[in-house]
Every structure is written in C-alpha cells, then in structure tokens.
Amino acid sequence: MDQGFRITDVHIHVQPWREAKPLVVEAMRRGKESEWDLLSQITDDPRALLDIMDRAGVWRAGLVHYPDPDVMGFSAASGTFAARYAQMNPERLLPYGGVHPRITRDPAGDVDRLMDLGIRALKIHPPHQMFPANAYTAGLDALGAIYRRCEKRGLPVMVHTGTSIFPGARSKYGNPMELDDVAIDFPDLTILLAHGGRPLYMEEAFFVLRRHKNMWLDVSGIPPGRLLHYFPRLTEVADRVLWGTDWPGPGVRDMKQNIDQFLTLPLSDVDRKAILETNALVVFPAR
Ligand SMILES: [Zn+2]
C-alpha cells in the first residue's frame, strides 16, 4: 500500500441501489453523475470494487448494508446482500448486515443466520429505522434480543449516530447518548459509534466513548480535515478510533482523497497507524 499502512476502511456503502427509492437515488447521484454507471456496476461485481480499493490503497473495506424500508427502500429480505457479495473475497471484504427490530419475528435466529453467511458486524440505523438506539428500554423487545445475541456471539454492532440528510430520516434518533444505556445493559457488546454524532452530537459521542471501553469511534462521514476540530481530544481515545469514509455517500468523492487529508493532520505516526491499520484488526481480525 503506497501510504505504508494496511488500511481498513470500516464504513463504505455497497448496496442494491436499484431497490432504493427515486429520491434517495437522486441524493446519491448528486455530484457523482459521471460515476453513477460505475457505482451501479459495483453493486453487481465485487471485482470492480476491489479495483477501486487497490487504486485507493485500501486493503479491507466494511460493506455497510441493513434493511431500511422506510427511508432508503431496502427491504428486510435484503439484509443478506452484503454477506453474499463479500463471499468473492472474505479476506478484503467485511460484510455487515441487519435485522430490523420492528419487522423481525426471530431476532436471535436472524442474527445467527447472518453470521452463518459470514457477516462481520450488525448495523443499526436509528434515524432510518425509526427508533432510538435504546428503544428496548421502552418496549421494543426485539432490539434488546438483537443486542443480547450479538453480545453473546461476539458480533460487533455498528450504530449510526448523528443526522441523516435522506428524505424522511428522523435525525432526533441520532443522539449517541442513547448508547449509554446499551453499553451499560450489554457490557460485553462491541459497539461501533458511526460518524461520531456528526455534526450535532459530538460532545455526547465523546462522552460515551470515554465512559465505555467497549465503544469504538468510526470517523466516517466527518470531513477528515476537520476531525481534530470536531474531536480536539481525539488522541485520548486513539486506541479506539477506526478509519472510515462513508464512500460513496453524499460529499465523499473518493476513499484515497480522504486518506490523504487525514494524513495531513498533526497526529503521531503511532496514532495514524492505530487509526488506519491496527485498531481495525482488533475489532475485525484478519481472515
Ligand atoms: Zn454510512
């Protein structure tokens, strides 16, 4: 890898865009019209993605996908999409999947089935799936069952925090403080806090991150050049920060550009290596 690191980008999106709602596709295409054919091709062909990763100097990528019928248009049945996709190269492609707690009839069994397919993390998206991340404390029992199963089986859970700009998203559910409950009630659960509460809830994100040692910060979606502005004390938690970009989400042009911007930050080589390379190997051991 030309940056000298074996980089894992824990947060990119490979999703069945043809299932997405027209307004979502419009939001995704904006600014990427010229690349849209390629992005569509990637949906069908993991080799196209691996080529892009090679060019960007990215060794492994976490493929975010989860059922999202209300906002994005991804059906509950599509929860296994990333798992099947990643079977082409399980060393470099880390698939995430989801179980929708408002739809599932067998939360623990659905988690098990995803794991049988090779899933490396479970994704929960409160602003899109329409519940707070601690909704099991107020009656959404399936959500508690999902966390419990993931805790028992050692499957990390990635939770979206912060706002979402997609039509219909309810950003009030993006507050990371709700994960305080989850970390207390499921003390052995590995929680990946996606986007660090960007841009409204970053103090809350830093608080829960420091308070709970099983919580990791996924910096995707935060402009890398602004990372230390948003998290001035980032180095205090550098051993639990995971590199991620949210590519090809709105505003993220390419994986390499984000890496280059990150490398201009005044961080030590030790912290850079932890964030780009070694922390991710703790959460997602090499296979
Ligand atoms: Zn994302």
Side-chain angles (χ1 to χ4, degrees):
M1 302 286 151
D2 55 4
Q3 293 89 356
F5 299 107
R6 295 196 94 194
I7 296 173
T8 299
D9 182 331
V10 300
H11 194 132
I12 71 169
H13 287 268
V14 173
Q15 301 188 271
W17 299 115
R18 66 177 75 82
E19 272 193 30
K21 296 182 179 183
L23 282 173
V24 167
V25 173
E26 213 174 279
M28 284 300 299
R29 279 178 66 120
R30 211 166 293 139
K32 296 196 180 65
E33 289 81 358
S34 57
E35 304 148 65
W36 189 251
D37 283 349
L38 178 60
L39 293 178
S40 306
Q41 189 194 332
I42 287 168
T43 300
D44 298 315
D45 184 5
R47 277 165 303 203
L49 174 65
L50 289 162
D51 279 351
I52 289 179
M53 288 165 59
D54 285 340
R55 284 200 293 277
V58 171
W59 170 40
R60 303 189 300 171
L63 313 180
V64 175
H65 184 64
Y66 53 95
D68 186 340
D70 297 310
V71 173
M72 302 293 276
F74 302 126
S75 70
S78 78
T80 59
F81 172 84
R84 296 180 194 287
Y85 185 93
Q87 281 165 358
M88 160 77 79
N89 189 332
E91 182 207 343
R92 297 185 63 194
L93 304 177
L94 315 175
Y96 308 162
V99 178
H100 198 310
R102 292 197 293 102
I103 298 171
T104 180
R105 291 173 177 192
D106 180 11
D110 283 350
V111 170
D112 288 346
R113 280 182 279 280
L114 285 172
M115 289 189 77
D116 289 344
L117 285 170
I119 221 83
R120 303 293 299 269
L122 190 113
K123 174 78 187 278
I124 300 273
H125 200 312
H128 286 192
Q129 294 176 324
M130 310 283 166
F131 53 79
N134 62 353
Y136 64 88
T137 62
L140 188 58
D141 295 340
L143 181 60
I146 290 167
Y147 289 142
R148 201 170 308 117
R149 195 65 176 177
C150 291
E151 180 185 41
K152 182 161 184 247
R153 298 213 48 195
L155 186 70
V157 173
M158 174 183 278
V159 182
H160 176 102
T161 62
T163 57
S164 164
I165 53 119
F166 288 105
R170 312 225 173 202
S171 292
K172 69 179 174 186
Y173 296 138
N175 193 330
M177 190 53 79
E178 265 114 38
L179 292 172
D180 194 41
D181 277 341
V182 181
I184 292 166
D185 296 334
F186 305 94
D188 293 324
L189 183 64
T190 298
I191 301 168
L192 314 186
L193 205 156
H195 317 310
R198 146 221 86 171
L200 300 180
Y201 309 115
M202 308 192 89
E203 285 180 21
E204 289 89 338
F206 194 67
F207 171 81
V208 291
L209 195 67
R210 290 186 71 234
R211 177 164 147 76
H212 302 292
K213 300 302 172 210
N214 285 345
M215 211 173 274
W216 300 69
L217 172 64
D218 148 20
V219 298
S220 64
I222 303 166
R226 304 278 290 158
L227 189 54
L228 292 174
H229 166 81
Y230 284 121
F231 290 103
R233 294 162 64 194
L234 187 80
T235 55
E236 287 180 32
V237 292
D239 59 342
R240 283 185 288 128
V241 177
L242 300 167
W243 178 248
T245 59
D246 212 18
W247 179 86
V252 185
R253 281 224 69 82
D254 82 86
M255 289 183 255
K256 170 98 166 73
Q257 196 175 54
N258 278 39
I259 293 166
D260 290 344
Q261 285 172 7
F262 173 76
L263 290 172
T264 66
L265 297 175
L267 292 169
S268 69
D269 281 343
V270 172
D271 286 348
R272 285 179 181 167
K273 190 176 171 76
I275 293 168
L276 292 171
E277 178 175 335
T278 49
N279 291 345
L281 284 165
V282 176
V283 179
F284 302 112
R287 280 186 181 165

